[in-house]
Amino acid sequence: MSTAHQAFCQDLKQTLPAERILQDAFHRLTDGTDASFYRLIPEAVVKLKNEDELQTVLSLARQHQVSLTFRAAGTSLSGQAVTDSILVMLEGNSWREFKILNEGQQISLQPGIIGSQANQYLLPFGRKIGPDPASINTCKIGGIAANNASGMCCGTAQNSYHTLSGMRVILANGVVIDTRTEAGRQTALNTQQPLLKALSQLASEVQNNPELSAKIRHKFRLKNTTGYSVNALIDYHDPLEILTHLMIGSEGTLGFIAAVQYHTVPDYPNKATALVFFPQVEAACLAVTALKPAPVDAVELIDGAGLRSVQAKAGMPDRLKTLSLEAAALLIDIRAPNTLDLSKKIAEVQAILATQTLLFPAEFTQDPVQYAQFWGVRKGLFPAVGAVRPVGTTVIIEDVAFPIEQLAAGVRELQALFAYYHYDEALIFGHALEGNLHFVFTQDFSTQAEVDRYAGFMEAVAQLVAVKYGGSLKAEHGTGRNMAPFVELEWGSDAYELMWRIKNLFDPENLLNPGVILNADPAIHLKNLKPMPATHELVDRCIECGFCEPICPSRHLTLTPRQRIVAWREHARLKTNQATAITAWDNQFAYEGLATCALDGLCSTRCPVGINTGELVRALKTAQHGATAKKIGVYAQTHLAPLTALTRFGLNAAAFKGKVLGNETFSRLTKGFNQLTGERSPVWHDAMPRGANAETPQSQGQHGKAVYFTACVTRSMGTAVSDSETRDLPQVMQSLMQKAGFEIIIPKAVSGLCCGLPFASQGLPDSANAAIRELEAALWEASEQGQYPIVCDTSPCTLRLLERLEKPMLVYETAGFIKEFLVPHLKIVPQTEPIALHITCSARKMGLDKTLRELVKLCTPQVVEPEEEGCCGFGGDKGFVTPELNAAALARLKQQLPANCHEGVSNSRTCEIGLTLHSGRQYRSVAYLVERCLE
C-alpha cells in the first residue's frame, strides 16, 4: 500500500469504525470484484452509511490525493466499478430512503435501493420507474442513474436522462447540489455561480457549433452511453438541468449521486406477447422498421444462433427445432391499461405484421405462464452461452447500436466478424426498436494469442459500428474501461475535447474514478483482465454477474455467493502459485465462506446459469470430514429416536432454568458459555422453543386419508417459551384434519425417521442418503404405494422429499395440503388484524409463494410481506450456533412491519424462531392461523 493510501486509511479511522475500512487481502479481492471481465484490487474498501461519512472520505481523498471509485451493486459490465485505489461502497442497510410524490407521479430514491424495489413501492399506484435493465432485480438506483441503464421496454424516452425530475449530487469538492426542491435549486443558483456559469458557457459554445450540435443530435437519436451525456448541452439552457443531466451516465467520474428523483411511467397490467419468426434477419429488420410507429412496448430481435441455443427451453414451440441458422425472430410486447385497449393494439400490430414476410402467422398470447416463458427465454440468451463455455473462459456481452434503417446490414456484418475471428458460439439479440444489439461470446484471456484475437475483434467492431455506420459502441452498458480507448474514434476530436473539459470542470484533481470513460491509454481495455481459473465443477460456470447477491442472507455479514466463488477461485490460484499463503486464506474462508453460508440455495433461483453455491459449501465440508465425523453421522442417523427425545428433554430443561432464573439472567449465562465453547453452543432467549409433546396425532374422517410425516424438528421443538399458544404443530394439524374429515396415517417408527437434510447440511451425504431411503420406504408403505397424499409439516424437509424421493408419491407442504385438501371442507372466518407472512426459501423454490399468499388471505384481508424476499438466515442449526447470520439477514424486519401487525406466519419451525426474535412478533406455522379462523 502506498504512503498516501496508508495515511488516508489511518485518518479515516478517526471517523469510521475499523470494520468498515477493509484493508486485508481477502476482502479487498472479494469486495473489489464486479461483473466485468476486469480485475483491479483496491488498496482499501470503505463502506459508508451516510453523506457525512462521504464528505469525510472526499475531504481525505483531496488531502492525500488518492482516487475514489463509487460502487452500488457491482453489476456493471464495462469495468467502471473496479479500482486499484479506494473503493467506496454503500453499506448494505443504508442509503435506502425513498419518498413517493404526487400519487406516484414522481419518486425520490437514494442510491442503495434496488430497481425492482422501487417498482414495488410504486405498484399500488400503477406506476414504475422508466429504466428497466435486465439486472433490475439486482442493480441499484445509484448504478442505474450513473450508467444511464435502460432495458427492453424503456427505449430512450423512458431512461434516466429523459425521466429525471431532480437530483441530489455531491461534487468532488464536497459541494452538495439538490435540485429536487425549489429551495434547493435556489441555494445552488446563489452559491455555485462559477460552476454554473462555466456550464452555461459550454452549452453556448456547443449550441453555436452547428456541426457538433448535429453530431450530438444524431448520436442521441440512438441509444448511446459512450462518453458523457453531452446532449445535456443542447437539450437544456438551465445550468442546473445541464449539471444533473451530465451526471446521468457519468459513471461516478463527475460526482456522487446521493438521490435521484424520477418522473414515473405507467405500469400497465394487461400484457400480450408474440414470438414471430422470419426467414432471414433482413425480413425481421424490415418488420422492425414497420413496427417503429406501432403501439408496441418492446421488440426484441433474436438471430438464428440465439434461437438454436434456446430451442429446448420450456414453452418454446416445436417448430423452433426446424429453423435454419438464417432464420430470425422478433419477440413483440404489447401493454395496455385494459383488455379492450390491448385487443385494439394487438389488432393494429397484426395488421402491420400481415404485410411482412413471416415463416408462420403471428400468434399473440396473454397467458401469464407462456408470457413469462417467452420473456424468460429472451433473458436466458446471455446465460445460454455462459452455461456451455469452456472452463477458464469468460463470457463477454457487448452492446452496440446501429441506425435502425441499417440494422440488418449491421447484424450481417457482425456475423461475418464472428466467423472471421472464430467466435463460432456467438449469438445476437437486442432491443430492435432502438437499433440496440447485444452480442455474446466466450473469451479466453490466459494466452497472449487469445488477448490479441480479442483486440483485433474489438478494433474491427469499433470501425464497423462507430465509423462505417455512425452507431454507438455502448448503447446502455456504460463506457467504463472497455470502450474508453474508442470514445474519440466514435465522437471525433471536438466532442472528445469537450468531454475532457467537462471532466476537468467537475473533477480538476482527477480523483473520481480516473481512467473510466476517458483514458489516454489506447490499450487500457486489454489490461487487468480477470482470470477465471477452474476451481470446482459446481461453480466453474459462474460469470460473477452478482445477480445472486440481493437474496443471500449473509450479504451484509460476510460474503455473497459471488464472493464465495471469487474467494474459492483465489484458493485455486494460490494452491498453484503460492502454497505458503493458502493456509491463512482458507482459515478466513472457513468462517466467511463456509460457516456463514445458510445453504438455502435461493442463489440458484437468481443465477443465470443455475449455480447453487450452497452445494459448493456442502461439497467442501464433505471433503474436510474425516472418519470420526462420518462415524458420528452414521450413529446419529441410526439412533434418531433417542436423540430426538434427548433434544426434547434438553429444551424443556432449559425452559425450566429460564423460568427459575429469569430469561434475561439465563440468556447472559448461555452467552458466556457460548464464548467459552467457541460459539458452538446456543444462546438462550425467549423465542427459543420448549420441548415438543411426544404424542402421535390421530384423526378419523370421511373425506379422505393422508399420510402425515412430522419432521424431526417438529417432533423436537414446541412453541416458544414466550408464546401463549402451548399446542404443538402436530396437535394443530390433528385439529384441522379432524374438522375437515381427514384420516391421519402415521408412518411406522416415525420417531426414528428423517429426510436427511441435517446430515446433508453438515456435509455427510452417506448418512443423508441412508436417511432418505429409510424414510422413502416408510412413506411408500404408509401411503399404500402412493395411493394417499403425504403432508410434511416443515417446508425445507418437504423440498428435500420432492427432490430426493424416487418412488411416485404425492408430497405436500403444510400450506399446499391445507389449501388443496382441507379448505374445501372447512368454513374460514377471516380476522381483521393484519398478519405478517414470511415465505421460506424452500417454499419459494417449490413455487408455493402464491399458495401461501392465497391461504393467508383467506384468513385476513391484510397480508404484510416485508420487502426483503430472501432467506431468514436461520439455516437449520445456524440460528443457534451462528446467530449473527440470522440477525444480519433480518436486520430490517422489525422496521418493515406496521405497528398494528402483532403476529406472523411461516412454514418452518426453525425459521419461526429467528423471525420471532428479530421482529418482536410471535411467528407460528400458517396452520395455527387457519385453525384459529375456523367457525
Side-chain angles (χ1 to χ4, degrees):
M1 180 180 288
S2 71
T3 303
H5 286 101
Q6 287 178 343
F8 170 88
C9 291
Q10 193 60 40
D11 287 350
L12 188 57
K13 288 176 183 176
Q14 305 303 311
T15 303
L16 259 64
E19 61 265 24
R20 289 199 277 123
I21 307 170
L22 307 176
Q23 297 173 261
D24 61 288
F26 190 91
H27 288 107
R28 290 191 295 116
L29 175 67
T30 55
D31 281 304
T33 297
D34 77 344
S36 74
F37 53 91
Y38 295 99
R39 165 65 49 75
L40 288 168
I41 299 177
E43 294 281 13
V45 178
V46 178
K47 298 186 178 184
L48 304 183
K49 287 188 173 184
N50 53 53
E51 289 187 14
D52 289 341
E53 294 179 352
L54 179 68
Q55 289 282 13
T56 299
V57 166
L58 286 169
S59 174
L60 291 174
R62 294 192 303 272
Q63 178 184 334
H64 296 290
Q65 288 295 288
V66 298
S67 62
L68 308 173
T69 293
F70 304 126
R71 160 89 65 82
T75 57
S76 300
L77 296 167
S78 301
Q80 59 266 60
V82 293
T83 180
D84 55 4
S85 184
I86 303 296
L87 180 64
V88 178
M89 299 180 69
L90 307 179
E91 193 276 332
N93 287 316
S94 306
W95 304 96
R96 294 174 65 170
E97 294 180 9
F98 70 96
K99 186 176 183 180
I100 295 173
L101 307 164
N102 301 323
E103 296 298 310
Q105 295 295 309
Q106 289 92 30
I107 187 169
S108 181
L109 300 156
Q110 284 197 311
I113 294 171
I114 293 172
S116 59
Q117 289 176 334
N119 287 338
Q120 283 296 116
Y121 303 149
L122 291 165
L123 189 62
F125 303 92
R127 311 286 293 181
K128 63 179 182 177
I129 60 172
D132 63 336
S135 58
I136 195 166
N137 290 326
T138 305
C139 64
K140 296 180 179 178
I141 293 300
I144 289 173
N147 290 288
N148 198 18
S150 47
M152 287 179 277
C153 294
C154 90
T156 54
Q158 294 182 354
N159 63 17
S160 289
Y161 181 93
H162 288 291
T163 58
L164 184 66
S165 168
M167 180 184 291
R168 182 175 176 87
V169 60
I170 303 176
L171 302 180
N173 60 5
V175 167
V176 178
I177 294 176
D178 195 336
T179 67
R180 294 174 300 168
T181 65
E182 187 54 42
R185 290 177 58 84
Q186 197 57 52
T187 297
L189 289 170
N190 293 338
T191 60
Q192 302 304 315
Q193 276 299 310
L195 173 62
L196 299 180
K197 184 177 180 181
L199 287 173
S200 294
Q201 180 61 36
L202 279 179
S204 178
E205 288 180 27
V206 173
Q207 292 164 15
N208 290 323
N209 184 333
E211 183 178 350
L212 182 55
S213 293
K215 183 157 198 167
I216 291 171
R217 289 191 179 92
H218 165 74
K219 299 296 290 183
F220 286 100
R221 177 172 67 95
L222 311 174
K223 270 191 178 182
N224 193 329
T225 59
T226 308
Y228 288 118
S229 299
V230 290
N231 48 334
L233 298 171
I234 60 172
D235 290 344
Y236 298 99
H237 295 280
D238 181 340
L240 286 174
E241 293 295 333
I242 294 171
L243 184 150
T244 54
H245 285 81
L246 280 171
M247 286 292 159
I248 299 295
S250 63
E251 301 176 27
T253 63
L254 303 182
F256 176 85
I257 299 174
V260 178
Q261 189 165 293
Y262 283 123
H263 294 291
T264 63
V265 301
D267 185 15
Y268 293 133
N270 297 281
K271 304 173 183 179
T273 194
L275 187 61
V276 186
F277 300 99
F278 299 83
Q280 309 92 16
V281 72
E282 287 84 359
C285 291
L286 283 173
V288 172
T289 303
L291 289 167
K292 182 72 174 174
V296 291
D297 287 84
V299 177
E300 294 291 301
L301 173 69
I302 308 172
D303 75 348
L307 292 172
R308 182 160 295 182
S309 74
V310 296
Q311 63 184 12
K313 296 286 186 181
M316 288 294 95
D318 290 338
R319 62 181 57 151
L320 204 60
K321 298 175 183 177
T322 68
L323 301 180
S324 74
L325 282 174
E326 279 292 297
L330 296 179
L331 184 58
I332 302 171
D333 191 70
I334 302 174
R335 302 179 181 187
N338 54 64
T339 54
L340 179 61
D341 284 355
L342 184 64
S343 297
K344 289 179 180 177
K345 288 183 176 184
I346 292 172
E348 187 176 339
V349 172
Q350 284 282 34
I352 294 171
L353 291 173
T355 68
Q356 304 299 306
T357 305
L358 311 184
L359 283 174
F360 317 102
E363 298 175 355
F364 280 87
T365 179
Q366 299 178 48
D367 176 62
V369 174
Q370 193 170 20
Y371 182 98
Q373 285 175 334
F374 280 168
W375 282 97
V377 165
R378 157 60 185 85
K379 292 179 179 179
L381 287 167
F382 176 32
V385 174
V388 298
R389 78 184 195 278
V391 174
T393 64
T394 190
V395 182
I396 294 178
I397 178 169
E398 290 295 351
D399 162 51
V400 300
F402 292 98
I404 191 171
E405 58 274 12
Q406 295 166 316
L407 185 59
V411 170
R412 286 299 188 192
E413 294 202 46
L414 278 176
Q415 291 173 332
L417 287 179
F418 297 156
Y420 182 81
Y421 285 95
H422 303 292
Y423 290 110
D424 301 322
E425 77 291 345
L427 54 85
I428 297 174
F429 58 92
H431 318 315
L433 283 178
E434 311 300 330
N436 179 197
L437 298 179
H438 302 308
F439 51 95
V440 183
F441 57 98
T442 62
Q443 179 66 54
D444 182 4
F445 288 126
S446 65
T447 67
Q448 189 58 47
E450 280 294 291
V451 174
D452 291 344
R453 177 170 72 123
Y454 174 72
F457 175 66
M458 289 306 298
E459 183 66 37
V461 168
Q463 291 292 331
L464 171 70
V465 175
V467 178
K468 183 171 183 178
Y469 288 108
S472 307
L473 287 169
K474 282 294 180 184
E476 58 182 6
H477 291 171
T479 307
R481 288 173 165 78
N482 185 222
M483 283 299 167
F486 303 103
V487 174
E488 185 172 11
L489 175 73
E490 175 173 332
W491 275 100
S493 57
D494 286 352
Y496 190 60
E497 181 188 355
L498 174 65
M499 291 180 189
W500 272 113
R501 290 173 65 187
I502 291 169
K503 171 66 173 173
N504 291 332
L505 179 61
F506 282 89
D507 181 25
E509 297 175 278
N510 199 26
L511 298 178
L512 301 184
N513 219 4
V516 166
I517 296 183
L518 303 177
N519 197 307
D521 185 348
I524 191 63
H525 64 306
L526 305 175
K527 297 178 179 178
N528 303 302
L529 299 170
K530 182 190 290 182
M532 301 285 273
T535 184
H536 197 288
E537 60 184 6
L538 290 171
V539 297
D540 281 337
R541 292 173 296 122
C542 175
I543 53 181
E544 298 183 11
C545 64
F547 284 12
C548 55
E549 295 192 331
I551 209 160
C552 177
S554 62
R555 65 192 181 277
H556 301 319
L557 177 66
T558 52
L559 301 180
T560 66
R562 167 167 66 175
Q563 291 170 332
R564 284 185 171 87
I565 294 171
V566 168
W568 200 244
R569 281 177 169 160
E570 180 66 3
H571 162 91
R573 189 189 70 81
L574 291 172
K575 191 174 182 180
T576 302
N577 301 323
Q578 298 180 38
T580 56
I582 200 168
T583 301
W585 189 269
D586 287 356
N587 286 341
Q588 192 154 4
F589 187 79
Y591 174 75
E592 306 222 5
L594 302 182
T596 56
C597 175
L599 304 172
D600 56 283
L602 276 184
C603 47
S604 66
T605 67
R606 295 287 187 92
C607 175
V609 292
I611 293 171
N612 181 347
T613 311
E615 292 299 328
L616 170 68
V617 172
R618 287 191 181 97
L620 296 179
K621 286 183 174 182
T622 299
Q624 291 175 355
H625 287 322
T628 301
K630 293 176 182 177
K631 287 179 181 178
I632 292 172
V634 171
Y635 181 87
Q637 189 268 318
T638 55
H639 294 77
L640 196 65
L643 288 175
T644 303
L646 185 62
T647 301
R648 288 195 296 268
F649 175 81
L651 288 172
N652 282 325
F656 178 75
K657 290 178 184 177
K659 187 174 182 180
V660 172
L661 299 174
N663 273 323
E664 289 188 13
T665 301
F666 190 42
S667 177
R668 286 196 300 271
L669 290 172
T670 56
K671 282 180 182 177
F673 190 67
N674 174 267
Q675 295 298 314
L676 288 174
T677 59
E679 298 185 343
R680 290 184 176 88
S681 63
V683 175
W684 186 260
H685 48 74
D686 61 8
M688 290 286 275
R690 306 178 178 93
N693 190 312
E695 293 181 8
T696 301
Q698 299 177 10
S699 173
Q700 300 296 319
Q702 70 278 16
H703 290 136
K705 299 180 180 180
V707 177
Y708 178 23
F709 171 57
T710 53
C712 50
V713 65
T714 310
R715 300 196 302 269
S716 304
M717 301 179 189
T719 54
V721 295
S722 59
D723 196 349
S724 59
E725 172 64 78
T726 57
R727 292 177 302 163
D728 298 334
L729 179 55
Q731 295 173 279
V732 175
M733 287 295 293
Q734 173 181 286
S735 173
L736 279 169
M737 293 177 77
Q738 281 178 337
K739 292 173 181 177
F742 262 74
E743 180 179 336
I744 295 176
I745 303 171
I746 299 295
K748 291 179 181 178
V750 69
S751 62
L753 297 177
C754 174
C755 69
L757 183 58
F759 303 104
S761 298
Q762 295 301 324
L764 297 166
D766 292 341
S767 296
N769 291 335
I772 192 69
R773 297 284 74 86
E774 184 180 354
L775 176 59
E776 181 173 40
L779 294 177
W780 183 247
E781 180 183 355
S783 67
E784 297 187 16
Q785 293 72 52
Q787 180 179 348
Y788 301 116
I790 298 163
V791 56
C792 174
D793 57 17
T794 302
S795 177
C797 302
T798 311
L799 176 61
R800 181 164 170 83
L801 293 177
L802 290 170
E803 291 176 338
R804 300 287 176 165
L805 293 183
E806 297 173 356
K807 297 182 184 298
M809 292 180 274
L810 293 173
V811 178
Y812 291 84
E813 168 274 340
T814 310
F817 177 78
I818 292 172
K819 188 170 184 296
E820 182 171 340
F821 292 94
L822 304 189
V823 165
H825 307 291
L826 299 171
K827 186 169 183 181
I828 296 175
V829 180
Q831 66 176 45
T832 57
E833 296 82 8
I835 292 288
L837 170 62
H838 174 76
I839 301 174
T840 60
C841 43
S842 48
R844 291 184 189 279
K845 292 171 77 174
M846 289 186 285
L848 290 173
D849 315 42
K850 183 180 178 183
T851 299
L852 275 160
R853 291 188 187 103
E854 289 176 349
L855 183 60
V856 178
K857 282 180 180 177
L858 291 175
C859 302
T860 174
Q862 301 181 69
V863 182
V864 180
E865 286 189 66
E867 66 184 53
E868 270 81 7
E869 58 182 10
C871 171
C872 69
F874 208 92
D877 67 335
K878 289 189 182 295
F880 299 124
V881 298
T882 316
E884 65 270 26
L885 174 61
N886 183 229
L890 299 180
R892 288 169 52 85
L893 175 61
K894 183 178 286 189
Q895 70 188 72
Q896 290 176 2
L897 297 178
N900 65 337
C901 179
H902 302 298
E903 61 180 321
V905 296
S906 188
N907 56 356
S908 170
R909 183 66 195 97
T910 51
C911 298
E912 291 151 17
I913 296 170
L915 292 163
T916 297
L917 175 64
H918 296 291
S919 72
R921 281 86 167 170
Q922 199 65 243
Y923 275 76
R924 308 182 188 93
S925 167
V926 67
Y928 286 87
L929 175 66
V930 176
E931 200 266 349
R932 190 177 68 209
C933 290
L934 296 183
E935 187 175 68

